[in-house]
Amino acid sequence: MGGLPGMLLTLAETGSQNLVVCGGHNLTHAMAAMRHFILRSDMGVGVKELRDGDAAAAFSDENIRVTPVHIYPTGYTVSAHEQGADESDAAAIRRMLLERAFGVHKAPEPTDRKKREPPQPQQKKGYYGQECKEAAIEQVLQKFEQQDEDRTKKRSLSPGHSPKRSSDVFLPLATPTPCALCYIVEGPEVPGKFDSQAARDLGLKPGPQFAQLVRGQTITTADGQTIRPEQCVGPARPSSLVIIIDCPSPAYIDSLTTAHQFLPFLEGTKTAGPQKDQLMMIVHSLGPGVAQDARYKKWAARFPAHVRHMVSAPEYVPDNNPFQRHLRIHAAMHAISPHTYILPQATDKAELPLHTFLDSKNLVAPKSMMMYDIEPEPKLDESMVTQLLTAEQMLAKVDDVTPPSPHPNDGDDLVVCPIGTGSSVPSTYRNVSSNIVSVKGFGGIVLDCGESTVSQLKRFLGFPRRNYANTRIQQSYTEFLKTLKLLYVSHMHADHHLGAIQLLHEWNQATQMMDPKPRLSVLAPARFWAWLEDFSGVQDLGLDRLDFISCSDIRLIDPTAKIPIKENQKYRTAVTKLKSDLGLVDILTCGVIHCPWAYGLSLTHYTGWKLVYSGDTRPCANLVTLGRAGDKPPTVLLHEATLPDYLHVDAVAKRHSTVSEAVAMALGMGAENLLLTHFSQRCLDLPRWTTANIEAVKVARYGYVASASTSVGSSVDDVEDSATELDVDDDDIDAGAGVDFGHVNDLETYGQDVAEQTDAPNAALNAVLGDLKIASAFDMSAYAPRDIKKYRYNTHRLKQVLHDEMKLFIAEESADTVEPSQLKKGKQKAKAKKGKDSA
């Protein structure tokens, strides 16, 4: 589900308006459920449900017509509410909530060609526009939490009511449907060919009259002769057709193969007609086992021999990794530290040869970036397809490879695995936020779950077989799901939870046949549970086996407070169970400075380790208090470091931390190890910190947090979140939206800078850092405390890897902007020069 809201958010940022989203049953319900974390009321998104039995269930415009075909698993009875257009009161409430979240859809005026201006960036100045001092953060959080609880009790079911917020109204209950949609896609009628010689024979000359005839207009010549288009233009013909098949499992085959909409395209049927000659391509998007089912193969063989079959089935398509730039940099890092930077699983070999699907010469396996042209001539276009290397092939291109040491897990009671380490949106090199922790002998933890987390986990852990390159968590993805004990969501921003729907769905599928059926704890803001409850009407997430705990119910309020669990037996029981499931002696949250209902987390294990996760935040006294709570400082602090120090003003405006601020927070709570994550997608450089910037960080109650004299009892009055002063000017704010490698302008100068910083020890900085060990996280990596300790010895080689990648990136992007003719001339000149040099 993460793909649709993620795409809508991206389109909203580009200024797109008046979109129409088409899909199957419950699409309006799913879109209305997004109101818990999406509010784009000026976007104007309309929804068209392609419902079974609805004569209007098709999409068409001037370019394309899409007709849906509904298929169901064997034995499923289509209910009355799934048939025809939905005009119920419940549908009216859903449409009302959809409009409150995305605005009212307005059809664009045909004559309106005014260029849309891109949206202006907005600066956040506090919770919902209010200026917010860090000292008052607790009162602000309590206010929002109480309001949320009150709304939960008062939310209305009536579309006639007008509550202030869209989440004040409950979505009517919905029931998931197993319906899958296939599509018949047809382009517009193709105009006939203009016969210029026939026009000349009629006395016409090339020019405006030719154009009028092509447009279908009748013309009158100077001598009064009337000439009609059909005298010079051949007959129009129907466009080519494409069929897209979505068959999730063999249970759908009977419904698919008997669908009457496909009969006109099949050989040997009474209803076969001219449409079968228009059909040029069938895309088979098939679940496991479908392509090898005799029923499906027999049905597919009945289509005309000229039809091309693109077979997208797991048996026939290699599990290639399309993210080659990320793989290239990851392989180079794996060569430096094999047990830290895990090679993602991939293969370039299919399980079965394609000819075992059908006896046809028109079979093709899809490839990333492959295109199919329908008109004017149907053909495959592979001009954008590139060779996809496996991790092993990419590693073979690396010169200096460090051999892995044996028994990497000895003594590692705590291993933190960042799966996505970027902020805001996925990028070439980093996915959005997600982390996993495998607690030895107990089970797994997921800390935030951004979009595409499941895909990342499958490559990191291996699916369906274990990834043997991963020596730190020796489980496949499915095995990890079966032992998963906790899903934690720090706040409701989409880049931290959009992947949770898919994760919960697959957890439910993987564990529902186990005996006894396991339960999963979900620790998150209360609004996240409201989102899950709403979306469970679209997809079965196993909510009856989820134990939900609101972050506010285990929040540490002051340094002397005990665990402030509310007098609620359900929550008390859930927390006790969670501790038992993971061997924890303590689990606490605290409010942090980012957005309403944003939290930090502390986990303390009976074996002695303590993990603190910041989520997204500015430097925050509550987080320092959380880290200092109990008898042990954090073994590992996993802290966001979104922006480099020179973008401090940006960090304040967006309520994130700079690199030096994250280091100061670790020092303030006495952490033994700091793992930096959640980096801006604009920067690929290794993070840098300075003594002056670390020592400048101060928060309420503690003052300058990096100071050795700071104590729990110290107090600083009226210290604002924006009070941290760094040596930056307002002009240093980076407003660019593209990939930016820090403030690097000259790569050679940058290389010298890398060498100077690496080779010249900084005594003053070392004195400030003391025993603190620091590492920078990358996607699909694994860090035990000893890995963080060794990180400093690899920084020179890691920086060189990033330096080399920067040069490759710039060269590749420059090549993409060169015209093919210029590229050919350049190659010819280079070849000639090489010949002269050889001579």
Side-chain angles (χ1 to χ4, degrees), residues 589-623:
T589 63
C590 72
V592 295
I593 304 173
H594 183 60
C595 66
W597 313 290
Y599 297 90
L601 174 69
S602 171
L603 303 172
T604 305
H605 199 256
Y606 85 95
T607 57
W609 59 258
K610 179 177 179 180
L611 172 65
V612 174
Y613 175 44
S614 70
D616 286 5
T617 184
R618 290 288 300 141
C620 176
N622 288 344
L623 195 63

Side-chain angles (χ1 to χ4, degrees), residues 416-421 434-437 447-448 600-601 610-617 623 634-641 662 666 669 671 673-678 775 777 783 788:
V416 180
C417 302
I419 304 301
T421 59
S434 62
N435 310 273
I436 65 172
V437 180
L447 302 176
D448 278 333
L601 174 69
K610 179 177 179 180
L611 172 65
V612 174
Y613 175 44
S614 70
D616 286 5
T617 184
L623 195 63
T635 309
V636 174
L637 168 62
L638 180 62
H639 201 290
E640 71 123 295
M669 64 180 70
N673 301 277
L674 170 63
L675 186 56
L676 300 172
T677 187
H678 196 269
Y783 301 86
I788 299 175

Side-chain angles (χ1 to χ4, degrees), residues 618-619 648 652 661 693 696-698 720-726:
R618 290 288 300 141
H648 170 254
V652 172
E661 286 172 338
N693 291 343
V697 179
K698 55 184 176 181
E720 296 187 14
D721 168 44
S722 58
T724 307
E725 299 296 339
L726 299 186

Side-chain angles (χ1 to χ4, degrees), residues 85-329:
D86 188 359
E87 301 298 338
S88 64
D89 289 343
I93 295 175
R94 295 186 181 102
R95 288 191 292 269
M96 177 194 69
L97 293 176
L98 174 70
E99 290 181 356
R100 290 187 180 179
F102 292 99
V104 178
H105 176 262
K106 298 178 182 178
E109 297 179 11
T111 57
D112 185 10
R113 298 181 177 272
K114 184 179 180 181
K115 184 177 179 182
R116 184 188 299 118
E117 294 295 329
Q120 296 298 316
Q122 298 180 358
Q123 295 290 336
K124 297 179 181 179
K125 296 184 178 181
Y127 294 111
Y128 294 122
Q130 303 171 12
E131 184 178 357
C132 178
K133 295 184 178 182
E134 194 275 326
I137 184 67
E138 283 297 339
Q139 290 84 346
V140 175
L141 278 170
Q142 290 175 20
K143 170 187 172 184
F144 279 111
E145 287 161 1
Q146 186 60 48
Q147 289 175 351
D148 211 31
E149 291 176 2
D150 293 343
R151 290 191 189 102
T152 300
K153 299 174 183 177
K154 297 178 181 178
R155 285 196 289 179
S156 171
L157 286 172
S158 171
H161 290 185
S162 298
K164 294 181 179 180
R165 297 171 60 90
S166 61
S167 55
D168 291 346
V169 181
F170 276 119
L171 262 178
L173 294 178
T175 303
T177 173
C179 177
L181 290 184
C182 304
Y183 301 98
I184 301 171
V185 184
E186 183 178 9
E189 187 178 62
V190 180
K193 186 176 181 180
F194 179 72
D195 189 341
S196 61
Q197 186 58 48
R200 289 188 177 93
D201 292 343
L202 291 170
L204 301 179
K205 296 181 179 180
Q209 292 180 328
F210 275 26
Q212 287 177 291
L213 289 170
V214 170
R215 290 195 296 267
Q217 299 173 358
T218 299
I219 63 172
T220 303
T221 63
D223 59 2
Q225 182 184 5
T226 300
I227 299 176
R228 297 182 303 276
E230 57 266 26
Q231 293 178 264
C232 305
V233 180
R237 65 171 177 84
S239 171
S240 299
L241 292 170
V242 173
I243 290 177
I244 300 174
I245 302 295
D246 178 16
C247 189
S249 76
Y252 289 79
I253 293 177
D254 288 342
S255 176
L256 171 66
T257 57
T258 57
H260 67 88
Q261 294 93 332
F262 295 125
L263 293 178
F265 302 100
L266 301 177
E267 299 282 14
T269 61
K270 294 181 180 180
T271 56
Q275 285 179 302
K276 64 185 178 65
D277 297 324
Q278 295 173 241
L279 180 61
M280 294 295 161
M281 165 75 83
I282 301 176
V283 179
H284 302 264
S285 179
L286 310 177
V290 175
Q292 286 300 295
D293 191 290
R295 296 170 298 165
Y296 190 86
K297 294 168 73 171
K298 181 180 179 180
W299 178 74
R302 296 177 61 192
F303 287 96
H306 71 270
V307 173
R308 190 183 293 268
H309 298 266
M310 181 178 289
V311 188
S312 179
E315 299 92 337
Y316 295 114
V317 180
D319 184 24
N320 283 311
N321 188 340
F323 306 108
Q324 292 286 288
R325 282 176 173 167
H326 172 266
L327 181 60
R328 181 170 64 197
I329 196 173

Side-chain angles (χ1 to χ4, degrees), residues 345-363:
Q345 187 184 72
T347 179
D348 58 351
K349 295 180 175 60
E351 294 180 15
L352 295 173
L354 199 56
H355 67 79
T356 62
F357 175 64
L358 283 181
D359 183 13
S360 172
K361 296 180 181 179
N362 290 325
L363 299 178

